[in-house]
Amino acid sequence: MPAFTSTAPGKIILFGEHAVVYGYPALAVPVTKVRVRATVSARAIVSGDMGEESAGVHVIAPGIGLDSPWSALKPGGAVRAAVGSVFATLGMSQPPPCTIKVTSTIPIASGLGSGAAVSVAIIRALAGFLGHPLPNEQVSALAYEVEKIHHGTPSGIDNTVVTYAKPVFFVKDQPIATFTIPQPFTIIIGDTGISSPTKETVGDVRQAWQANPERYQRIFAAVGSIAKSARQAIESGHPKRLGPLMDENHYFLQEMGVSSPELDRLVNAAREAGALGAKLSGGGRGGNMIALVEEGEADAICLAIRKAGAVGTIITQVK
Ligand code: MEV
């Protein structure tokens, strides 16, 4: 059986995080500069060495120090679930001996969709290796089941944008809508270096919403209209209009309680250095912020964000 490799990009949410969990629209785009790569290859079995471990599936992820038989991975863990979902889908009780190697350049727990990208890359590579490549719809659905382990109550936006690797206007439980970008624009992604699991911020917002449903419903609805206006601005070829919309969306994320002093510092530094707008992106409390910039000013604004504490910056063209 020949080896099979698959990759999946990172993602950023341009508008609508958190509100999207409650049925409001959000916009997300792939970030192809960072990727997860999964390679599945046959494992040679030395004769006389047919122990369970050498006969089974082995998973290696050097970036997180993982080197383990699949069957020994923590039950309920994302990698174990992603692999298991493929075997279950293909009705395979005795998978052929193989090694799954996962490498990634996407920072973990930073709002760039690393969890979804790991699931998508593994699911695609393993299904391909086993001779049953799966369509995007099924890859995304399986990755969504894994996301539930990461996030508790995810909207499904991360697995969708990472699977299709296209800009998406996402509304939970509705058919996927990709959209075109007639006028490309430049975004800086600034990393606070603070790891912040999405499951926690999503859980905290849920608690706050339960305690004060009317206030939160108003905030979510406002964020949903921002996402709709943003799609209109992009599709009509006026990406500069996204700047003020980002600022407004960041204000509502602060109101939800998911920003942090570190995120606010980077957002303010970007604005002061000339960004057209800036906001946190993803779950919040850490992870990444994004800023809309003129292409020629991107390097100077990256420098300002780094001076304000960012541990890393990525400049990406959204097109
Ligand atoms: C995480 O990238 C985006 C959130 O809206 C959670 C979700 O949609 O599942 C915070």
Side-chain angles (χ1 to χ4, degrees):
M1 255 176 174
F4 199 101
T5 295
S6 180
T7 71
K11 70 99 202 6
I12 43 170
I13 301 210
L14 293 179
F15 294 95
E17 49 275 272
H18 287 291
V20 68
V21 174
Y22 300 83
Y24 293 94
L27 289 187
V29 293
V31 179
T32 50
K33 273 192 180 168
V34 287
R35 285 195 164 270
V36 170
R37 170 182 293 266
T39 299
V40 184
S41 48
R43 252 151 76 79
I45 301 212
V46 181
S47 138
D49 177 23
M50 282 289 280
E52 196 192 322
E53 184 177 326
S54 60
V57 177
H58 201 89
V59 185
I60 305 173
I64 53 166
L66 179 65
D67 186 342
S68 163
W70 168 68
S71 56
L73 292 175
K74 192 171 64 143
V79 173
R80 181 166 167 145
V83 173
S85 72
V86 175
F87 296 149
T89 301
L90 301 181
M92 210 168 254
S93 54
Q94 277 249 288
C98 60
T99 299
I100 303 171
K101 184 173 179 192
V102 183
T103 56
S104 175
T105 53
I106 308 178
I108 296 171
S110 69
L112 286 178
S114 71
V118 166
S119 299
V120 166
I122 288 180
I123 290 166
R124 274 210 189 111
L126 186 55
F129 171 77
L130 295 170
H132 298 277
L134 298 174
N136 280 339
E137 202 181 342
Q138 209 169 358
V139 170
S140 186
L142 293 180
Y144 181 55
E145 292 307 310
V146 181
E147 284 287 283
K148 288 184 186 165
I149 298 170
H150 279 300
H151 288 185
T153 54
S155 61
I157 190 168
D158 287 14
N159 49 281
T160 302
V161 67
V162 163
T163 300
Y164 289 86
K166 288 198 173 125
V168 292
F169 180 79
F170 182 87
V171 183
K172 195 175 172 183
D173 299 330
Q174 287 193 13
I176 158 173
T178 56
F179 63 97
T180 48
I181 299 182
Q183 183 81 41
F185 51 94
T186 307
I187 294 281
I188 292 175
I189 304 169
D191 186 357
T192 59
I194 299 166
S195 138
S196 173
T198 307
K199 188 173 186 167
E200 285 174 21
T201 51
V202 169
D204 288 352
V205 171
R206 182 164 294 274
Q207 271 187 5
W209 167 70
Q210 280 162 346
N212 199 342
E214 276 153 32
R215 175 169 186 266
Y216 273 77
Q217 217 54 53
R218 267 199 308 277
I219 296 177
F220 296 152
V223 169
S225 344
I226 293 173
K228 279 191 199 151
S229 306
R231 178 183 180 173
Q232 221 167 24
I234 294 174
E235 287 189 317
S236 63
H238 296 99
K240 280 189 188 171
R241 291 186 190 159
L242 299 179
L245 292 172
M246 279 188 182
D247 292 343
E248 218 184 314
N249 195 161
H250 186 69
Y251 165 77
F252 285 116
L253 288 160
Q254 287 173 316
E255 288 292 298
M256 281 181 217
V258 295
S259 194
S260 68
E262 294 81 4
L263 279 165
D264 288 345
R265 203 172 307 132
L266 302 194
V267 163
N268 290 335
R271 289 174 186 157
E272 279 161 23
L276 302 169
K279 64 182 277 291
L280 73 83
S281 176
R285 298 261 174 78
N288 285 287
M289 49 73 68
I290 55 173
L292 177 73
V293 301
E294 302 278 14
E295 200 179 352
E297 295 184 11
D299 287 334
I301 298 173
C302 277
L303 200 65
I305 294 175
R306 281 175 179 270
K307 273 194 186 149
V311 298
T313 48
I314 297 172
I315 301 172
T316 185
Q317 276 287 106
V318 180
K319 50 190 180 196

